[in-house]
Amino acid sequence: MEDTFKHKGWRQQMVTKLAAKGISDQRVLDAIGAVPRHLFLETMLDYMAYEDMALPIRCGQTISQPSTVAFQSELLDAEPDMKVLEVGTGSGYQTAVLCQMGLKVFSIERQKELFDVTKPLLAKLGYRAKCFLGDGFHGLPEYGPFDRIIITCGAPYIPADLARQLKVNGVMVIPIGGKSQEMVRVVKTGEGPDDLLQQRYGDCKFVPMLEKDVRCLT
Ligand code: SAH
């Protein structure tokens, strides 16, 4: 698979549409303009890769819609070289966008089949994310604390372990809810378990964040 002139043209049109929809962070627009989304999809979906839609990937999961990837990336408000934890590697597309923005990305996926395909794909395309197979509810305590945390599946609540692994003044972007969710930007204002300022950014729809056990903050 390659990144042809045709794909580059479609991608540029998509970036123009995202800007028209209100994405204004130039680093996000540049990253989306650079990452070949079609290479994160099955070849037969190639022609739909630059439509603003979520599309199916392995294991009954979905690659997030480009406008959602852009919006979550913008809400993160990250500076280059920051350490970012992503929960839900999936296809690796959001991971690649974060890498392209110059962030140090640590990404967790619970589906082995996705992990086994996506980790080598990211490496092959030159994105230097550290990929882990595991349960995102527990984060990566040995690699934290993180400047930013992004959850790309619908979480039932703010997982306590993730809040602990966020630096003070750090930001977590997390869709919270059941069948549909609300996009929440959490700012950690202190070391206490309640020092989490929550800002709400409207309804959204993600595949669920699945848990084995319950460790809950809110
Ligand atoms: N950012 C990805 C989104 C994939 S969908 C992309 O654009 O391709 C969300 C992913 O979260 C799925 O791959 C799902 O398996 C994963 N997921 C769900 N619950 C999880 C958990 N507890 N820990 C880690 N990953 C989880």
Side-chain angles (χ1 to χ4, degrees):
M1 280 197 293
E2 47 176 333
D3 193 18
T4 64
F5 192 67
K6 179 183 75 176
H7 292 109
K8 290 188 173 97
W10 286 342
R11 193 153 69 241
Q12 210 37 60
Q13 284 175 12
M14 182 175 82
V15 169
T16 306
K17 284 186 194 154
L18 291 175
K21 282 185 180 177
I23 300 298
S24 58
D25 186 332
Q26 196 56 45
R27 287 168 307 177
V28 172
L29 293 171
D30 288 347
I32 287 184
V35 176
R37 186 172 187 256
H38 63 286
L39 300 185
F40 294 85
L41 289 164
E42 306 278 349
T43 316
M44 59 185 263
L45 293 174
D46 182 283
Y47 72 103
M48 293 173 88
Y50 297 101
E51 299 293 332
D52 192 16
M53 348 168 29
L55 292 165
I57 55 174
R58 287 161 199 269
C59 307
Q61 305 302 309
T62 51
I63 183 172
S64 299
Q65 197 173 336
S67 53
T68 303
V69 171
F71 188 47
Q72 285 198 284
S73 304
E74 185 164 83
L75 286 179
L76 272 184
D77 194 18
E79 299 292 334
D81 288 329
M82 278 187 170
K83 225 159 86 176
V84 181
L85 173 66
E86 178 191 33
V87 174
T89 317
S91 68
Y93 176 64
Q94 171 79 72
T95 322
V97 168
L98 297 173
C99 290
Q100 185 70 41
M101 289 169 67
L103 307 175
K104 296 196 179 96
V105 187
F106 297 75
S107 187
I108 316 177
E109 172 56 54
R110 67 184 288 280
Q111 296 272 5
K112 186 168 187 318
E113 189 184 331
L114 279 170
F115 170 80
D116 285 343
V117 169
T118 301
K119 184 180 170 168
L121 175 68
L122 284 164
K124 188 177 129 201
L125 296 176
Y127 299 108
R128 295 158 63 103
K130 289 194 169 40
C131 294
F132 300 83
L133 178 64
D135 180 4
F137 274 92
H138 304 310
L140 293 170
E142 60 278 34
Y143 293 92
F146 297 95
D147 299 289
R148 299 289 186 264
I149 298 180
I150 176 171
I151 319 293
T152 71
C153 35
Y157 49 77
I158 300 170
D161 284 343
L162 297 187
R164 258 191 293 278
Q165 289 165 38
L166 188 60
K167 289 185 189 170
V168 172
N169 294 323
V171 173
M172 182 189 312
V173 176
I174 176 169
I176 302 182
K179 270 199 169 157
S180 70
Q181 306 89 27
E182 188 165 31
M183 188 66 79
V184 182
R185 183 176 190 268
V186 181
V187 182
K188 182 162 165 173
T189 54
E191 286 294 359
D194 296 326
D195 293 336
L196 300 171
L197 176 72
Q198 296 187 38
Q199 303 161 327
R200 289 162 202 287
Y201 286 89
D203 294 342
C204 52
K205 207 160 169 48
F206 285 79
V207 295
M209 180 172 181
L210 299 175
E211 57 185 322
K212 284 198 195 112
D213 59 353
V214 177
R215 294 191 197 180
C216 137
L217 259 188
T218 53

